Amino acid sequence: MTPADPPARPEADPAHAEHEGSAQPLSPDQERMWLFDQMLPASPGYDAPTVVRVLGPLSIAAMNVALDRLVTRHDSFRTRFPRTGDGVPVQVVDPARAARPRWRYLDLAGLPDRRRLTAAADVVRQAAARPFDLDRGPLWYAAVIRLGVDDHVLLLGMHHLVADLWSLNIVIDELSAAYRAASTGDALPAPVPPAQPAGLTVRQRDRLTPARLDRLRRWWADHLTGVRPVALPTDRPRPPLPNLTTYCHEGQLPPDLADALRRIGHQHRVTLYATLLAAFNTLVAGWSGQGDLLTVSVTAGRHGRAAERTVGLLTGCLVVRVDTTKAATFAALLPVVQEAVVDALDHAALPFADLVAHVDPGRDLEPSPLRQLGFSLHNTPSASAEFPGATIGALPPRQDAWPRGVSEADLWWEVFDHGAGPLAYRLQADDRLFRPDGPRRVMSALRQLLHTVGRHPETPLSRLAPVALPRPAPAGSGQVPPMPPAATNHPLVEPAPAHLRHAVALLVTEVLGIAPTSDEDNFFRLGGTSMDAVRLAARLAADLGAEVSLYDLMTTRTVAGMAAAVHRAQRDSVTNASRTSWS
């Protein structure tokens, strides 16, 4: 298996250069995704690649032209996120002519037949596991893997910071069109899309005037008054610190059930999103005994025609508060949920960080109501790879005993809708709270509920939700592996010495412009934000020689706790240096 460089890239056409070369601030959702990436720097779970098998002729030269056109046409293929001197990231779009291609051609045809697919699957896994360099880029990769004369695997991956789910469909569609044009000699697509992510970010920021921001903050402060965490009866006790890794379960709701759910929404004049959210809330309410629920959704964030063909991270967060006690039946709950969704959409321009600052100003709630329940309905435009004279297939699916993922929520349910046919889904459950079969058990109860309301939407809510979910498999049955290691739970540490607490307090003062009055002062209650924590981490590294993780700063929070994290980092640094000197 010998990697080889593809043919030289052809001369690129001039690209849209509105933001090329200049440092631009991140959008609120880019900030959130960047922070999430820093909290899980070793996890590739958010950026799974698109993989297709091409059975038939495939022109490497035409593929080179097609990939080059994507790099030229879309800023996201040339965007990276270097940090400024204070540690805060900015987005920089490199000029098209200076962009470095990141794709390879690998020929596995010389391997024995039985080894080729296994080797190709290994290449896919290795590519997906390789972390991106956000500072230097590029934040995408591609590969063409040759298995035979007319048998190839095409692999394309992009970091979530530069491409959301909607964007991936645009990329697949345009890659296919550019390949067809290059292979037949037709004219290539226009080089410039209607808008670029950095420009949309600037427009979004300009629209959010101080007066509008104040109105939104006041509305959400009133709307979220009294919200509290949900007491989920989980398989395991909740650990003291938040977790970001999950077990996953994927499947499909069959076409007859999917059509019944669409029909119910149509009959009651509500969206499929509201229908499915009502079912999810009904399950959680009956299971937890709490009817007032807060659910976070990821929305497409495509506002206006200009954004429809833009490749980038444009998603937004929608926070929906539903009180299931306002309805006696599922049918009666539907308009309650629909109204809550409309209210949330009308006030969705407020950055998610502002909602967190209101609900959990000290970042010390565990659990936080904003990190428990998640639901998203993805109805992005569908696209499929098409290459002249070739048939598109798939590699044999990887058989994982317990699929893993990453999520900020205890439970996150995603549904994928293409307007007709089955509804694919993925349900994730926190792997510190649930056993590996937890997502499957939750989904089993949810499917049963959906089947019931699909036939009888007038069913009383009291008869829909189970008092408890199906019991987990016994720990000694061999069906459940041991609990995963607490990778994100930093251990208890001894207090830092007084001089170190004083040094940290001085740096907190410099970053926030406010002096702590006590070692127990909370960094976030003093007015600090997540990006202020990033600035503090940079100062701790520069001034105290302590590489403190962002997770530690976000979870220790107080001056004393942060000083203890610095003390541990300094001690670990000395220990590691000592081990290295003896190795």
Side-chain angles (χ1 to χ4, degrees), residues 404-571:
R404 307 299 294 271
V406 292
S407 171
E408 295 178 89
D410 295 346
L411 290 174
W412 192 289
W413 186 35
E414 294 177 275
V415 180
F416 303 85
D417 176 36
H418 297 296
L423 292 170
Y425 64 77
R426 178 193 300 120
L427 195 142
Q428 298 190 69
D430 187 309
D431 63 12
R432 306 292 297 170
L433 299 177
F434 293 90
R435 298 189 182 195
D437 62 345
R440 179 187 57 78
R441 290 184 287 114
V442 173
M443 197 63 219
S444 174
L446 187 52
R447 285 177 69 116
Q448 182 179 348
L449 187 154
L450 291 170
H451 275 289
T452 301
V453 300
R455 293 189 299 265
H456 307 291
E458 299 294 340
T459 303
L461 296 182
S462 59
R463 290 172 49 193
L464 280 175
V467 175
L469 293 183
R471 295 180 62 82
S477 66
Q479 300 180 32
V480 180
M483 188 174 178
T488 57
N489 284 11
H490 54 68
L492 296 175
V493 293
E494 71 269 17
H499 76 275
L500 199 53
R501 296 198 302 273
H502 178 68
V504 170
L506 289 178
L507 291 180
V508 168
T509 303
E510 292 181 19
V511 169
L512 298 183
I514 299 174
T517 60
S518 162
D519 286 350
E520 296 305 315
D521 276 356
N522 184 300
F523 179 83
F524 299 102
R525 291 185 183 276
L526 289 172
T529 65
S530 297
M531 281 299 166
D532 288 328
V534 171
R535 294 183 179 91
L536 180 60
R539 292 299 305 273
L540 292 173
D543 293 18
L544 302 181
E547 297 288 343
V548 182
S549 73
L550 185 59
Y551 180 89
D552 280 0
L553 291 183
M554 299 283 283
T555 52
T556 53
R557 296 179 295 272
T558 65
V559 172
M562 290 177 169
V566 170
H567 186 45
R568 182 175 72 252
Q570 291 176 335
R571 184 184 58 198

Side-chain angles (χ1 to χ4, degrees), residues 2 18 57 63 195 298 303 385 492 499:
T2 304
E18 181 182 351
M63 184 60 67
V298 173
H303 305 297
L492 296 175
H499 76 275

Side-chain angles (χ1 to χ4, degrees), residues 268-326:
H268 292 82
R269 298 185 177 183
V270 304
T271 61
L272 178 62
Y273 172 89
T275 303
L276 296 175
L277 178 58
F280 187 52
N281 283 171
T282 298
L283 177 78
V284 174
W287 182 28
S288 66
Q290 182 173 328
D292 185 8
L293 303 173
L294 211 60
T295 307
V296 177
S297 291
V298 173
T299 64
R302 305 272 164 164
H303 305 297
R305 185 173 294 273
E308 290 181 0
R309 301 300 297 178
T310 300
V311 172
L313 177 63
L314 303 183
T315 55
C317 282
L318 187 71
V319 178
V320 184
R321 185 177 187 178
V322 171
D323 187 352
T324 63
T325 65
K326 292 182 177 179

